[in-house]
Amino acid sequence: METPLCTPHNIQICEVTCDSFRIGWDMTPEDTARATHFFIDLSRKESRDPNRFKHRDVPTKLVAKAVPLPMAVRGHWFLSPRTEYCVAVQTAIRQADGDYQVSEWSQVVEFCTGDYAMEHLQQLLDKASGSTGRLLKFSVFYRNQHPDYFENVRSECGGLMRPSLKDNSGSHGSPINGKLSGVFLSCNTEFDTGLPPKDSPYGSLRFQVPAGSLLDANTSLYFADFYCMYTAYHYVVLVLAPGGSDGDNFCRGRLPKLDLSSNPFLTCIAPEAPGEEPLFCHASDVILEVLYTEPLLLETGTVEQISGHHQLMSLTTANAKKDPSCKVCNISVGR
């Protein structure tokens, strides 16, 4: 009878991305020479099954031929961005009858996958570019909220709308989720009037500020996300950050930077002659969510009652989950 295989130990996880990682462990020289296969039991931390599979049940999560360690594990069909996983390994020798001689399972190791890398965000940007439609003129950025919000800004914050941490709505792998703070603004206009919509799901009062107050040649514009919520229309998340600011420094290297004068989402064209105003345009067929990374004083704009109806808050995108089945806005690296 063959000598039993030793239990793999000192499990090490490295080079973790949003949809891949490398795993290695310590084995005796004898086991390294004998092992023909590795079994990897991988599952999400929150749904871990305490009844580990036995070797006769393979293939289960992942079965691989023995290769030099650390070995790469990748695949968007079972790995998602920013997700905690549990992993354990077992070594095996495939025998002549097709059965396996196996080691005991290693200890369980936990790790978390990463954000979308720049290449993944570029794929998302390319998809979003195909859904934007023509560019329409606009002149103001605006933010709708309840009266209590603006009252609190005046009484408790000195009239300053302070940045708040981006929630987890949209694509799970977006690098700004839970990491970048800002003030969300809109700039979409109605086709027939060229003005902001009369209705809003966010509140009955609207703060408006001239577009040129926030967007000029010294402003950095970044693409951050493209998603939908089981609806026909899609959202594009952009980040506006003054050049050299903390927000700009955070986004640089993490998000694709857009050319202010030539991109399919939001543009600022410099005036051609002295005395003329810049031309601001937004994409017509997507809803733009613009995260401005700096505090905003109410006195830089106006706060007025909207003329339409305040709609249900259930229509907002707060912590909204992306539709994982949509072929328009999903890429092959998880959701």
Side-chain angles (χ1 to χ4, degrees):
M1 184 173 179
E2 289 198 51
T3 305
L5 290 160
C6 296
T7 304
H9 62 284
N10 191 26
I11 310 299
Q12 300 174 44
I13 306 291
C14 63
E15 298 180 29
V16 179
T17 72
C18 66
D19 66 344
S20 68
F21 64 95
R22 297 182 76 87
I23 183 170
W25 57 88
D26 291 343
M27 299 170 60
T28 65
E30 294 79 13
D31 284 359
T32 301
R34 293 191 300 155
T36 62
H37 289 79
F38 300 144
F39 300 157
I40 299 177
D41 184 8
L42 178 69
S43 61
R44 291 178 186 244
K45 182 179 177 181
E46 65 270 18
S47 61
R48 179 136 190 95
D49 184 353
N51 298 315
R52 193 181 307 287
F53 68 82
K54 294 180 172 52
H55 70 276
R56 290 183 183 277
D57 298 328
V58 296
T60 56
K61 292 292 196 299
L62 181 64
V63 180
K65 289 185 177 181
V67 295
L69 300 175
M71 64 175 289
V73 179
R74 59 173 57 90
H76 67 272
W77 54 91
F78 58 80
L79 284 173
S80 295
R82 286 192 175 196
T83 304
E84 292 184 321
Y85 289 94
C86 299
V87 64
V89 298
Q90 188 180 45
T91 59
I93 300 171
R94 185 177 175 88
Q95 299 176 330
D97 61 1
D99 206 349
Y100 291 90
Q101 178 188 345
V102 297
S103 70
E104 294 296 323
W105 283 102
S106 71
Q107 79 272 22
V108 175
V109 174
E110 298 177 0
F111 71 99
C112 185
T113 49
D115 299 333
Y116 283 161
M118 190 71 80
E119 62 183 289
H120 306 126
L121 287 164
Q122 187 61 50
Q123 292 177 36
L124 206 57
L125 188 160
D126 292 342
K127 284 214 160 197
S129 297
S131 300
T132 53
R134 63 192 179 96
L135 292 172
L136 300 178
K137 296 179 183 179
F138 77 99
S139 60
V140 297
F141 288 105
Y142 57 92
R143 175 177 174 83
N144 278 77
Q145 284 290 343
H146 292 284
D148 289 349
Y149 169 84
F150 290 109
E151 179 58 33
N152 182 72
V153 168
R154 292 188 181 95
S155 62
E156 303 297 329
C157 305
L160 195 66
M161 291 189 290
R162 294 173 178 165
S164 57
L165 199 62
K166 168 70 171 66
D167 63 15
N168 289 317
S169 60
S171 300
H172 196 48
S174 177
I176 69 172
N177 288 352
K179 294 183 179 180
L180 182 64
S181 294
V183 179
F184 262 118
L185 303 169
S186 300
C187 63
N188 287 84
T189 58
E190 294 183 325
F191 285 97
D192 54 346
T193 66
L195 299 174
K198 297 177 181 179
D199 302 317
S200 171
Y202 296 100
S204 59
L205 291 182
R206 174 173 292 159
F207 166 77
Q208 280 190 180
V209 62
S213 298
L214 307 183
L215 183 57
D216 59 31
N218 297 316
T219 308
S220 296
L221 178 65
Y222 295 93
F223 172 87
D225 201 2
F226 178 48
Y227 71 99
C228 71
M229 302 181 298
Y230 303 89
T231 56
Y233 47 89
H234 284 78
Y235 297 84
V236 169
V237 181
L238 304 176
V239 178
L240 270 184
S245 64
D246 289 344
D248 188 28
N249 293 334
F250 175 90
C251 295
R252 190 182 301 119
R254 288 186 174 94
L255 303 178
K257 189 173 183 178
L258 302 174
D259 183 340
L260 278 179
S261 63
S262 178
N263 73 80
F265 310 111
L266 180 66
T267 59
C268 172
I269 308 297
E272 296 182 357
E276 292 184 353
E277 294 294 323
L279 175 63
F280 302 99
C281 294
H282 69 83
S284 59
D285 290 350
V286 292
I287 299 174
L288 296 182
E289 298 182 311
V290 181
L291 187 68
Y292 186 69
T293 61
E294 300 300 302
L296 277 174
L297 275 168
L298 290 182
E299 65 184 32
T300 61
T302 60
V303 178
E304 298 178 353
Q305 184 87 20
I306 60 174
S307 59
H309 297 288
H310 165 52
Q311 300 164 0
L312 294 175
M313 282 298 291
S314 61
L315 298 178
T316 70
T317 60
N319 286 305
K321 300 305 179 185
K322 181 174 183 175
D323 178 2
S325 65
C326 179
K327 295 181 180 179
V328 174
C329 62
N330 281 295
I331 56 175
S332 59
V333 287
R335 311 296 178 236

